[in-house]
Amino acid sequence: MALNNEGFLTDEQRGVLKVASHNAVVLSSSPKSPKSLLSEHPAKAPAAGKVLTAGNAVRHVRRSHSGKFIRVKKDGAGGKGTWGKLLDTDGESHIDRNDPNYDSGEEPYQLAGSTVSDPLDDYKKSVISIVEEYFSTGDADVAISLRDLGSSEYHPYFVKRLVSMAMDRRDKEKEMASVLLSSLYADVISPHQIRDGFVLLLESADDFCVDIPNAVDVLALFLARAVVDEILPPAFLTRAKKTLPESTKGYHVIQTAEKSYLSAPHHAELLERRWGGSTHITVEEAKKKIDDLLNEYIENGEAFEACRCIRELGVAFYRHEVVKRALVRAMETRVAEALIMKLLKEASEEGLVSSSHMGKGFSRFAESLDDLALDIPCAKALFDALVPKAISEGWLDPSYLKNSGVDGNAHGEDEKLRHYKEEAVTIIHEYFYSDDIPELIRSLEDLALPEYNPVFIKKLITLAMDRKNREKEMASVLLSALHIEIFSTEDIVNGFVILLETAEDTALDILDASNELALFLARAVVDDALAPLTLQEIGSRLPPNCSGSETVRMARTLIAARHAGERILRCWGGGTGWAIEDAKDKIQKLLEEYESGGVVKEACQCIRELGMPFFNHEVVKKALVMAMEKKNDRMLDLLQECHGEGLITVYQMTKGFARIRDGMDDLALDIPNANQKFLSYVDHAQKKGWLLPSFDPRAGPTEAVAVAVATT
């Protein structure tokens, strides 16, 4: 298309320009970017001599006012004499900063990409360097570093990181980690954050085991140490166990902590020293340090500083000694009494001295009152006035008064009972070490105080509850033996009543005391030391809604369960752990050995060593069957000896005879005269007093069991 001779546009050219102008308006209002539009319609150079039509990409062609065609530059920018791009983004070439109308808001800007940081990730990175520095220097000023981080909501992750980093290191770092947690507790890291941190550790136990072979044992030690250091409540273990599947390593960690560490005798002292100990001081050194800090406190009166010193002693299990020595100092120095009361109150409010340690300290002080009264005649009167004041101010549990009356602390009990308790504790400790029941019985007979038998039972079970399962099992076995030898049923009933009356107080010091008392009760029934109906009598002697009543109900539920005898006997790993079939096989072999010429005493010893008193009716049953088969009455001599020694109780003997009677039809198929033999054995047993008077050799199974239980 060419211009006319006069240099003006033709009508056709004017039409094309009109279409191009219309397209430019549409383009400016389009939501698409100029660059995208350009990419959709690439510019094409027109062929020479051809006229552009409206259907071509006219908007990609710029024309000067002279009407000349000009090739479009890259990105659609114009050439000489054109207006450039439709939407030009090159601000540098069009914005004049010297222009009076210059606006800085029109300056071009560029988006710069940057990584968004996670506060938790930053916290974790900072914590690693803090812990590494602490392990290197031993400087416990980590509290300052943690406060500087300013992310207190992430402190559970600090607990997790500290323990996990220590788990794969030497004992020194493990001990340092435990000490640091105790020093940060409450001041920097709140109790619930400590708990949340250990929950994170338990949930990650499976991952730890990949890199640390003994992760379960090490983490269990940290958990038990936290309980001993009183930064975790004992109930934490029970609650945490309910939230974890039994198949997880975290569940096994809690089981290991409970059974291997927190159930051991003197577990607090052992755990404090497991990794070398934080204080490396003897008991005497600890007492001296306590005296020194009390002296310093009386001089300056700074309770906060005194509490800090108590915490730094690092002997959380021994804080009852702080209470005792503080009370002694209050009696010795009358002007210091107000200061001592203030210190004990503040230590209690801060959670530095637990209610159980406070009560224990008061009890220890009460035990030494007689000696103290030699130097301070008014000591008892001062102590009597101090106890109600401490209770009214809220830092001594009111149950202390109840314990003083029921449990018989030295204050207010006669010398005779006090002496008996001391001797009883010594006898029980010796039994736990020697496992010698005859020697224990001789020691009790030498004391010649049968009226205190219930007190002995209370002491026995209380001491066993604070020890390992081995001692609990030994206590149950001893209880059964004492019932046979020297204790009456009434003695055992009264002993359990005293225990259950103080169950709430016992729970302050012993984890899960209610459940363990229920097991002791149920075990006494299984071992025939108590009759099932006796539990109803015990419950009637207790207040209806107290903890003791709930324990009795729990025991009755345990006994009513399916296969209760076998389960309850194994509650503390009792007996030998054999399966029932293995036990039957061993009973058969010992009876065969006795029948072939064995000694009665040796056979009785073998039965005793089976450790399955609830299963002695099987001994009776198999002995009677063997007597029928061999036509040899030597088995009756064995049963007579077992009855005479109290090895097989009347109830178990009756149950064994009942098992023979109930299976008589099958037995008669192999032994034709079985029924005749059985009736003769029953007659012999009734004459010897082996059986309950109500036993009927011809009664049905259901009737016989009901009669036997009712009679017992």
Side-chain angles (χ1 to χ4, degrees), residues 242-418:
K242 293 178 181 177
T243 65
L244 296 169
E246 293 186 11
S247 59
T248 61
K249 296 295 183 183
Y251 188 90
H252 296 317
V253 167
I254 297 175
Q255 281 190 321
T256 304
E258 288 179 334
K259 296 180 179 179
S260 300
Y261 299 121
L262 294 174
S263 300
H266 311 296
H267 62 271
E269 293 86 341
L270 292 175
L271 286 169
E272 287 281 346
R273 301 288 182 268
R274 182 61 184 251
W275 294 317
S278 58
T279 58
H280 302 286
I281 61 174
T282 64
V283 172
E284 292 303 319
E285 290 172 338
K287 290 179 179 179
K288 185 178 184 303
K289 287 181 177 289
I290 291 171
D291 287 335
D292 291 342
L293 74 86
L294 288 173
N295 289 334
E296 184 177 349
Y297 167 65
I298 291 173
E299 289 179 6
N300 57 37
E302 295 181 4
F304 178 81
E305 179 66 18
C307 288
R308 186 187 64 80
C309 293
I310 293 172
R311 187 178 292 109
E312 289 181 354
L313 279 177
V315 284
F317 66 92
Y318 204 54
R319 286 178 184 161
H320 58 81
E321 187 69 18
V322 176
V323 178
K324 176 191 171 184
R325 291 184 172 272
L327 293 173
V328 171
R329 191 55 52 88
M331 301 296 171
E332 291 175 343
T333 311
R334 297 289 294 118
V335 294
E337 181 179 348
L339 283 173
I340 293 296
M341 298 302 103
K342 176 185 175 183
L343 174 62
L344 293 178
K345 182 179 180 181
E346 189 156 334
S348 174
E349 291 174 349
E350 286 188 11
L352 185 61
V353 177
S354 65
S355 60
S356 60
H357 276 286
M358 189 68 74
K360 191 174 182 180
F362 269 75
S363 298
R364 294 285 301 278
F365 177 81
E367 291 171 1
S368 63
L369 263 179
D370 291 335
D371 296 333
L372 192 63
L374 298 176
D375 300 321
I376 309 172
C378 60
K380 288 185 178 180
L382 293 173
F383 184 67
D384 288 340
L386 187 149
V387 170
K389 182 180 179 182
I391 293 174
S392 65
E393 292 180 356
W395 50 274
L396 178 62
D397 197 285
S399 62
Y400 170 77
L401 287 178
K402 184 178 179 182
N403 287 343
S404 298
V406 176
D407 192 30
N409 288 326
H411 178 58
E413 71 178 6
D414 60 74
E415 188 65 27
K416 185 178 177 182
L417 179 56
R418 177 186 173 187

Side-chain angles (χ1 to χ4, degrees), residues 400-471:
Y400 170 77
L401 287 178
K402 184 178 179 182
N403 287 343
S404 298
V406 176
D407 192 30
N409 288 326
H411 178 58
E413 71 178 6
D414 60 74
E415 188 65 27
K416 185 178 177 182
L417 179 56
R418 177 186 173 187
H419 174 71
Y420 179 86
K421 287 184 175 181
E422 292 173 353
E423 291 294 326
V425 170
T426 302
I427 291 170
I428 293 168
H429 283 160
E430 289 178 356
Y431 166 66
F432 284 156
Y433 287 115
S434 67
D435 196 15
D436 190 345
I437 293 178
E439 178 61 29
L440 181 141
I441 292 174
R442 283 193 293 271
S443 299
L444 285 178
E445 289 174 342
D446 291 341
L447 287 177
L449 293 170
E451 65 271 23
Y452 292 146
N453 286 347
V455 176
F456 181 86
I457 291 173
K458 179 181 183 295
K459 284 290 182 186
L460 170 67
I461 295 177
T462 303
L463 289 172
M465 285 169 64
D466 201 22
R467 292 180 171 237
K468 292 189 297 185
N469 287 345
R470 172 182 175 271
E471 283 77 10

